Amino acid sequence: MANAVVFCSFDRGKDGLPAGAEEVLTLGRKLAAERGVDLDWVVLGPMSEAVAATASKLGVAHIDHMDDPALAELRPEAVIAAVHVYCRQASPGLVLMTQTFDARLVAPRAAARNGAGVVMNAVGIASKSDGITVTATAYGGDTRVEYDVAGPAVVGVVADSLLAEAAAVPSAPESRSIAVDLAGVQERVRVVQKAVTEGPRLEEAQIIVAGGRGLQEAQNYRLVEDLAAALGGMAGASRPIVDDGWTDSSHQVGLTGKITRPVLYIAAGISGASQHMVGCTAAKTLVAINKDPGAAIFKYAQYGIVGDCLEVLPELTKAVKGA
Ligand SMILES: Cc1cc2nc3c(=O)[nH]c(=O)nc-3n(C[C@H](O)[C@H](O)[C@H](O)COP(=O)(O)OP(=O)(O)OC[C@H]3O[C@@H](n4cnc5c(N)ncnc54)[C@H](O)[C@@H]3O)c2cc1C
């Protein structure tokens, strides 16, 4: 158990499987084999059948389950406290988390509490004789950094950057129940309202028309929505107009929003700040509409329209509808 490589999951994604489980476990198995230690999976909160099936497919030695009423909703303070209890008992050498929104909150604080190092935004980890080298993105995805980490570490892994197909290595994982009492844990954040996440996901959209501050005012966001609808796509947005309430955060593209990979991305009145571009540079074709010919977005775009988006967007919508 001691110094194992551990995948720590505290969410239930599609089919009851935590986000990125297969990709991160595959990376974890490689690192565990190189270090000659076990690959263990600590599951916080309710357990799903998909966990056991995936663990036995991907070479997991132990499934360590921690449950407590405080973990039912997987709120951060309870999760951090549980990770602390686990690390105190099991002394893992390396804790891997899929870099989800919640992991960004949990990983650094869990690492600090356990006296471990932390690296977020990891896109690769290599073993070396005295620790690991973690390759991570930095500056909003503009560059890559290598961190040499000696000693225990918590690493937030961007699962999308790893192998999509996990190679099967069958195992018969032993299930262990790890006692934890979180009755005294107080959550510091109160959830006032949950964002609506029903319907199609921006991350999966093939066509996105996104608007930015160049739309001038909230009511003009409908020009973006109209073109998106005419093209059978979805509407996206830059952060400032989400912050100003022109649309809700499920439409935000970028570093602190959604990372999209559409076939076509039309950016209207968006300057091309790196934090926005992180979320759309994987688009096959990027079209920019901006009235400033020097706007940074034109460096990324395959097609550029220098003009007023308030005039260009309705014209494009008319042309698409007439086609
Ligand atoms: C830690 C951090 C995280 C961030 N995360 C994100 C993120 O996830 N997503 C995000 O988008 N941003 C993010 N930002 C903000 C980012 O840095 C930019 O401020 C933001 O992307 C700019 O939005 P914008 O392009 O809509 O506005 P602006 O930068 O104000 O650009 C408006 C553009 O519209 C053009 N324009 C003006 N009028 C017209 C018109 N009539 N017709 C055509 N063009 C016109 C202008 O020439 C300009 O290029 C983040 C910033 C930080 C520090």
Side-chain angles (χ1 to χ4, degrees):
M1 196 171 187
N3 302 319
V5 172
V6 169
F7 172 49
C8 176
S9 68
F10 40 88
D11 67 315
R12 291 170 295 274
K14 262 192 259 164
D15 309 324
L17 201 59
E22 299 202 343
E23 293 88 343
V24 179
L25 284 168
T26 301
L27 172 66
R29 193 184 61 230
K30 173 180 155 289
L31 295 167
E34 286 165 0
R35 295 165 155 232
V37 298
D38 285 342
L39 169 65
D40 295 341
W41 184 351
V42 56
V43 179
L44 308 182
M47 174 78 88
S48 79
E49 283 176 18
V51 166
T54 304
S56 54
K57 203 173 71 181
L58 294 176
V60 171
H62 304 99
I63 301 172
D64 293 333
H65 185 209
M66 300 180 95
D67 209 358
D68 181 276
L71 289 169
E73 297 228 357
L74 301 169
R75 307 289 313 283
E77 298 301 327
V79 170
I80 291 162
V83 176
H84 180 51
V85 169
Y86 183 80
C87 290
R88 226 178 32 212
Q89 282 188 29
S91 301
L94 176 61
V95 176
L96 303 176
M97 295 181 184
T98 305
Q99 181 144 331
T100 56
F101 185 81
D102 291 330
R104 284 187 185 143
L105 202 61
V106 168
R109 291 186 54 208
R113 253 192 224 192
N114 292 296
V118 64
V119 182
M120 301 305 288
N121 302 311
V123 292
I125 307 177
S127 300
K128 49 189 208 113
S129 56
D130 58 347
I132 50 173
T133 300
V134 184
T135 306
T137 59
Y139 300 116
D142 274 359
T143 189
R144 290 194 173 198
V145 181
E146 285 191 352
Y147 298 93
D148 287 332
V149 188
V154 179
V155 179
V157 180
V158 182
D160 287 355
S161 64
L162 304 176
L163 283 178
E165 292 237 340
V169 174
S171 62
E174 182 192 337
S175 289
R176 301 183 293 204
S177 178
I178 312 274
V180 64
D181 178 1
L182 303 173
V185 173
Q186 294 275 325
E187 291 297 336
R188 295 195 213 172
V189 177
R190 193 165 54 91
V191 178
V192 179
Q193 191 185 358
K194 285 198 174 171
V196 181
T197 51
E198 288 150 19
R201 285 155 41 92
L202 201 61
E203 299 94 309
E204 288 158 13
Q206 292 297 297
I207 298 176
I208 296 174
V209 182
R213 215 150 31 186
L215 288 168
Q216 315 288 331
E217 53 189 69
Q219 67 187 38
N220 293 333
Y221 188 67
R222 88 181 150 72
L223 301 177
V224 162
E225 292 172 323
D226 288 348
L227 180 57
L231 289 165
M234 292 182 71
S238 69
R239 177 166 157 174
I241 73 166
V242 170
D243 288 348
D244 286 352
W246 296 10
T247 183
D248 71 76
S249 62
S250 69
H251 295 274
Q252 185 182 318
V253 174
L255 182 63
T256 42
K258 312 287 184 209
I259 306 295
T260 67
R261 290 183 172 72
V263 174
L264 174 64
Y265 190 91
I266 302 178
I270 291 177
S271 57
S274 63
Q275 295 90 353
H276 183 83
M277 300 317 293
V278 170
C280 62
T281 38
K284 280 221 171 71
T285 303
L286 204 152
V287 178
I289 308 166
N290 198 301
K291 69 175 186 188
D292 173 9
I297 191 126
F298 288 126
K299 285 192 281 182
Y300 301 92
Q302 282 92 357
Y303 299 94
I305 302 172
V306 178
D308 184 343
C309 60
L310 304 182
E311 291 169 12
V312 175
L313 284 169
E315 286 301 321
L316 286 177
T317 305
K318 214 188 324 167
V320 171
K321 284 184 173 166

